[in-house]
Amino acid sequence: MMRRWIMKSWMCLALAVVIIVPARLDADAIVFNTEDYPPYNFLDESGQLDGVVTRLLEAALDELSVDVEMRLLPWARAYTEAQMRDGHCVFSTAYTEEREPLFQWVGPLGEIEWAAFALRHRRLDAGELSDLSGLRVGSFREDAVANYVSEQGIDVSLTTTDQENIARLRDGQIDVWVSGVLSAEYLARIEYVDLDRLFTLNRADIYLACHPDVSGAFLSDLQAVVTELKADGSAERIREDVLNRRRP
Amino acid sequence: MKQTKRHSATRAVPRRHSLATKQAVLTLLIALVMSMIAGLIEMYADARGMRTEIREQTQSLLALVTGTASEAAYQLNPDLADQVVDGVFDRGDIERVVLRDDFGRVMAERGRDDTEPESWLLQQMFGDLLVYQQPLQYDMVGHGIEEPVGEIELVLALDSIGESFMERSWLIFVLGVMKVFGIALFVVLAFYLLINRPLLKVYEAISEVDPTAPGSWPKPDLGGHKHDELGKLVSGLDRLLKAFQSGLDQRDELHQISTVDGLTGIANRRHFDAFLDEKWQQARRGQHEIGLIFMDIDNFKAFNDNYGHLAGDDCLRAVARTISESVPRATDLVARYGGEEFVCVLSHTDLAGAVDVAKRIQAAVLELDISHEFSDVHDQLTLSIGIASGIPDVSESSAETLLAVADHRLYQAKSGGRNSIVSTGEP
């Protein structure tokens, strides 16, 4: 009787530990935050994390035999956690001068080009950023291009994820969408929206951005493997696979 | 007229001293104190109820917004955070509401800046209920595990809580006071009808009691109080007054007995002594004349011996009546002095006047026509009479001299052959 009770207690305790432990992030465990931003990183149809950068990082981590927890979050949270909380990194992060001192950087893992988009049938005539004043411009929180456009004096209406912006564009809630070219074209294809690329805004390399207190040794190991994967063509292969929707 | 004067001791009580007023004032005073206490207790109970209400309302408000607030904190979405904070703040009664993310940064905040320090009492009553901190949790990665994403802090405005408490409690207090006061008024009315009014009746009946005839007092009819203390009071009073009345009656009877001669019905010797003394003193003070007549039935012993005592008594009664009728003035007095002797006191009468009266008496007795065969002076009943009169000397203290003179002259009338009037000669 007593023994059974003790066993039950132990089982309860074990269960509690199982439940509690993942909720509390181990100080040593490293968390890679990311967002839904295809094709760099996104959830596929089966709910698995996928993407050009995701696969590249997974390959590098495999090489190092390190396991990290990857969490898909709204960009603002994913980015802020990496900025504020030890043990956290975030990808895919466009490298800018303003962001440079806030993080440790691993990459580049790819590049991003930003452009302004509108619905094709609107036939908007805008050749440069200043043409956007007076128009309703949409982007999402803590996005590098949103910050860039805002700094140029254009009002930007922000959402939590970039997917909301293509819906807003389609519904006429915004006139212009500033976004990453790859991502925008990828979403437009999925959502069957006919986009008109107005002009190119900027370009940047994308990185894994880590909190300053994350182990530097681990990050330089990671950097070394990434450099190698890029040099031996693996990175390019991954990119092709993802863009052609091929599973490895 | 004299009656009302004597009643002044039991004259109507002024309204402000009346029992009913005192009782009403006292009852209302007690009611006031009691109602205050009752009102305070009700206020206290209400404050407790209000505390529970405030806590529950605030907690349900927080429960209502926690989902959205968590969403805002999870997304780090300042617009949504603003909406949540505005929504909470606009519910009113809130001094400050803050939404913080899990990095401790303020995402949205609204507050009033017109906050003044509130009263000590309000602080004591509601001070511990003001601050609410609700941690915000969110299932961030969709594994069913909630992780902290921030907190919402809410500080209630003590002044508006105090205001609504004051409004409520004032109403409750006033209603409580009115309730107890209403009851008190009923009590006053009931006491007035049940006790004061019948008591007042008794009081009025007592104040109308004629001290010379207490037995005939207007005994009040108290209706339903026959068997209670008031009824007993009235019947006890009735017995007391009746007993008092019978005492007065006995006194009057005794007075009668002590001043009237039992056989003849005219004043007796004792009454005569007192009357003479009074009149003599008056005459001395006023320095006016006073007359005195002494009378004796002639040969009355022989009359008694021969005609019998019954006839003798009849004779004495007849003579007494006759003498009385001959002296009609209220200021004069006829009395039986003893045996067959009679006296007469005449105020303001000189010797000549007294002689006139004596002659009238002599004639009237003769007219009675009572035959007296054994008399040695006449065949009918006759009197011997001695008269004295004069102004009393101031140096004298009693009618001694006047009495002695009258007595001496009667003696002279007798020794001189009876059936005569003597008004001169000194002892």
Side-chain angles (χ1 to χ4, degrees), chain B residues 272-348:
Chain B
F272 163 74
D273 286 345
F275 189 83
L276 175 64
D277 190 51
E278 188 194 331
K279 289 298 172 189
W280 187 84
Q281 295 291 356
Q282 278 179 11
R284 189 176 73 133
R285 277 197 301 276
Q287 283 297 294
H288 52 72
E289 305 259 351
I290 181 165
L292 191 61
I293 304 175
F294 266 47
M295 293 158 280
D296 192 284
I297 298 173
D298 294 330
N299 299 112
F300 188 68
K301 189 171 181 315
F303 187 93
N304 246 353
D305 292 348
N306 292 286
Y307 296 105
H309 282 286
L310 285 176
D313 288 349
D314 284 347
C315 169
L316 285 171
R317 270 193 284 268
V319 170
R321 193 173 61 246
T322 304
I323 298 171
S324 285
E325 283 166 5
S326 305
V327 184
R329 290 198 308 182
T331 52
D332 299 340
L333 180 79
V334 175
R336 187 181 174 202
Y337 197 65
E340 71 275 22
E341 272 190 357
F342 295 93
V343 285
C344 181
V345 181
L346 301 165
S347 313
H348 296 278

Side-chain angles (χ1 to χ4, degrees), chain B residues 380-398:
Chain B
Q380 282 177 316
L381 195 80
T382 57
L383 299 176
S384 295
I385 299 175
I387 300 171
S389 178
I391 299 169
D393 196 311
V394 263
S395 63
E396 276 185 292
S397 63
S398 74

